[in-house]
């Protein structure tokens, strides 16, 4: 009987080349993630300094109807991945504490809590998700059903956490100003004080979440940046 060569065996040299290419690809991707976090982090700080003062704000309250900082942070997360998104939010928050002296550190801390609440639920979904060959994790979030469900849960978490923080601030740092706050922007100027904190801030945070999640989704997935770059 004549022995035939086994063509299914992988050449060791080819295996080493594949492993080397895979390592280079991972290293390159890691550098891109870090660079993305740095660029988007810097962009959010610049946006806060120059664009935020021009935004329309709720009368009598230190909060804007729409805040572009979260757009930038969540866009970074959807485009570059979990590590890049978390790094971007973290370094930006620290930067805003120094750059925005008027609202620091509470404004930066509040924005951190509000935004991290929106992405922590999708991150947990990705942790539970079992990878299927050929499917990138970003595509899990691209599915509208997944994005809407995790976004709704994240919004609920955001409302709860920011309400707790706002109550603490209203009873301490901003206590002298609470009496001057009202629900005039909702057509009820007679409602003032702590009642405003319990009604206005949850409504505004829920309102902002729609834009904070919707605009980055349209940018990354609507314009197909995820398909062009395939970073994660």
């Amino acid at each position: 009987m004549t022995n035939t060569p086994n063509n299914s065996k992988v050449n060791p040299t080819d295996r080493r080349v594949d492993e080397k290419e895979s390592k280079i690809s991972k290293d390159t991707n890691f550098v891109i993630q870090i660079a993305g976090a740095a660029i988007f982090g810097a962009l959010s700080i610049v946006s806060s300094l120059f664009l935020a003062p021009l935004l329309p704000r709720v009368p009598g309250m230190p909060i804007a109807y729409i805040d572009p900082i979260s757009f930038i942070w969540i866009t970074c997360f959807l485009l570059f991945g979990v590590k890049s998104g978390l790094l971007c939010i973290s370094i930006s928050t620290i930067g805003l504490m120094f750059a925005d002296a008027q609202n620091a550190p509470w404004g930066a801390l509040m924005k951190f809590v509000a935004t991290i609440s929106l992405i922590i639920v999708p991150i947990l979904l990705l942790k539970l998700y079992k990878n299927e060959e050929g499917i990138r994790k970003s595509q899990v979030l691209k599915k509208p059903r997944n994005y809407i469900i995790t976004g709704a849960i994240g919004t609920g978490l955001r409302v709860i956490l920011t309400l707790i923080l706002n109550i603490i601030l209203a009873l301490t740092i901003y206590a002298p100003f609470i009496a001057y706050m009202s629900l005039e922007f909702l057509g009820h100027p007679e409602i003032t004080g702590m009642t405003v904190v319990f009604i206005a801030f949850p409504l505004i945070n829920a309102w902002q979440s729609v834009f904070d999640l919707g605009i980055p989704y349209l940018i990354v997935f609507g314009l197909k940046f995820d398909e062009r770059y395939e970073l994660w």
Side-chain angles (χ1 to χ4, degrees):
M1 181 181 292
T2 304
N3 292 329
T4 58
N6 188 353
N7 293 326
S8 63
K9 292 183 178 179
V10 178
N11 189 314
T13 302
D14 293 339
R15 184 185 295 113
R16 287 194 295 270
V17 170
D18 290 341
E19 290 175 351
K20 183 177 180 181
E21 289 179 349
S22 177
K23 184 178 185 303
I24 293 174
S25 177
K26 289 180 179 179
D27 290 345
T28 302
N29 195 37
F30 178 74
V31 172
I32 292 174
Q33 289 177 345
I34 299 299
I39 293 171
F40 276 74
L43 182 61
S44 68
I45 294 174
V46 172
S47 172
S48 175
L49 291 175
F50 296 99
L51 185 59
L54 304 177
L55 297 173
R57 296 185 176 274
V58 180
M61 300 184 196
I63 186 170
Y65 287 106
I66 299 176
D67 192 339
I69 294 177
S70 285
F71 303 169
I72 298 170
W73 288 354
I74 295 179
T75 299
C76 180
F77 162 63
L78 295 179
L79 185 58
F80 295 98
V82 174
K83 293 178 181 178
S84 185
L86 292 176
L87 180 59
C88 175
I89 293 174
S90 299
I91 62 177
S92 299
T93 300
I94 296 173
L96 289 173
M97 287 182 177
F98 291 97
D100 187 2
Q102 182 178 357
N103 297 311
W106 312 115
L109 178 62
M110 193 68 68
K111 180 53 60 178
F112 172 84
V113 171
T115 309
I116 206 72
S117 299
L118 296 179
I119 72 169
I120 196 67
V121 178
I123 290 174
L124 292 176
L125 170 66
L126 296 176
K127 287 289 185 182
L128 298 173
Y129 177 77
K130 294 182 179 180
N131 284 333
E132 297 180 15
E133 187 175 354
I135 298 179
R136 292 178 289 110
K137 284 192 172 182
S138 62
Q139 302 308 290
V140 178
L141 297 181
K142 187 175 184 177
K143 296 179 180 178
R145 180 176 178 273
N146 292 341
Y147 198 76
I148 291 172
I149 291 175
T150 57
I153 297 173
T155 298
L157 180 62
R158 169 181 179 164
V159 168
I160 293 171
L161 294 180
T162 54
L163 177 58
I164 292 173
L165 282 175
N166 278 309
I167 291 173
I168 294 173
L169 291 174
L171 295 175
T172 54
I173 305 297
Y174 296 120
F177 307 101
I178 295 300
Y180 301 100
M181 295 172 54
S182 73
L183 291 182
E184 182 180 358
F185 74 102
L186 292 178
H188 295 282
E190 72 281 2
I191 300 178
T192 60
M194 285 298 296
T195 305
V196 176
V197 176
F198 284 96
I199 296 176
F201 286 101
L203 287 176
I204 295 169
N205 273 283
W207 163 266
Q208 286 185 345
S209 293
V210 174
F211 295 93
D212 292 347
L213 291 168
I215 292 177
Y217 184 92
L218 292 176
I219 292 174
V220 176
F221 299 127
L223 298 178
K224 300 186 184 302
F225 282 114
D226 62 309
E227 296 179 9
R228 296 181 191 179
Y229 301 107
E230 297 186 351
L231 296 173
W232 69 298

